Amino acid sequence: EVQLVESGGGLVQPGGSLTLSCVASGFPFTSTGLSWLRQAPGKEVEWISGSTIYDDKLYADSVKGRFTISRDNAKNTLYLQMNTLKTEDTAVYYCATGKTKYEVQSRASRRGQGTQVTVSA
């Protein structure tokens, strides 16, 4: 069974940083592209970053230059380092199988339960 468990969310002030983690199990981590998604209140799910099996990193324009995706294959863990956070980054953040915004929309894609990130003064 595919399991993705996110952690690391919380309350942070504008301009601050957070690192999210996603521990994966139930599938071959090293041969699976992975992504981070987010959903802000009242908005649709947004793909924000993807990691390929070759460690290529993909970003949406909304987070490019501020967020960094990485993976530790030895720990089956995906990370998202978030810097210079803005109030508009407030959302529930999910990790998902699939490396692009198209792949995470497929019926085969799986995602975790999410972790809340709130950016507020």
Side-chain angles (χ1 to χ4, degrees), residues 8 17 19-20 24-25 45 50-52 59 63 65 67 79 81 92 98 115 121:
S17 299
T19 300
L20 306 183
S25 62
V45 174
S51 170
T52 75
Y59 298 100
V63 305
F67 291 8
Y79 300 99
Q81 171 68 44
V92 178
T115 185

Side-chain angles (χ1 to χ4, degrees), residues 42-65:
K43 295 189 176 181
E44 295 185 350
V45 174
E46 177 189 15
W47 174 91
I48 57 172
S49 185
S51 170
T52 75
I53 62 173
Y54 304 108
D55 206 24
D56 296 320
K57 305 174 195 303
L58 311 171
Y59 298 100
D61 289 343
S62 59
V63 305
K64 194 175 296 182

Side-chain angles (χ1 to χ4, degrees), residues 38-108:
R38 68 185 181 186
Q39 187 168 25
K43 295 189 176 181
E44 295 185 350
V45 174
E46 177 189 15
W47 174 91
I48 57 172
S49 185
S51 170
T52 75
I53 62 173
Y54 304 108
D55 206 24
D56 296 320
K57 305 174 195 303
L58 311 171
Y59 298 100
D61 289 343
S62 59
V63 305
K64 194 175 296 182
R66 300 188 299 122
F67 291 8
T68 302
I69 191 171
S70 62
R71 59 195 299 163
D72 185 335
N73 289 338
K75 295 182 178 180
N76 278 20
T77 301
L78 182 73
Y79 300 99
L80 186 69
Q81 171 68 44
M82 306 186 294
N83 297 325
T84 320
L85 283 160
K86 305 175 182 179
T87 55
E88 52 263 45
D89 294 318
T90 295
V92 178
Y93 284 71
Y94 303 90
C95 62
T97 57
K99 63 184 179 296
T100 69
K101 60 181 180 180
Y102 305 106
E103 290 183 4
V104 299
Q105 293 174 1
S106 76
R107 294 177 64 181

Side-chain angles (χ1 to χ4, degrees), residues 3-9 19-24 35-38 77-80 92-97 110-117:
Q3 286 196 328
L4 298 161
V5 181
E6 302 93 340
S7 63
T19 300
L20 306 183
S21 301
C22 173
V23 178
S35 287
W36 285 99
L37 317 174
R38 68 185 181 186
T77 301
L78 182 73
Y79 300 99
L80 186 69
V92 178
Y93 284 71
Y94 303 90
C95 62
T97 57
R110 297 291 182 265
R111 68 181 63 168
Q113 293 299 307
T115 185
Q116 175 71 47
V117 172

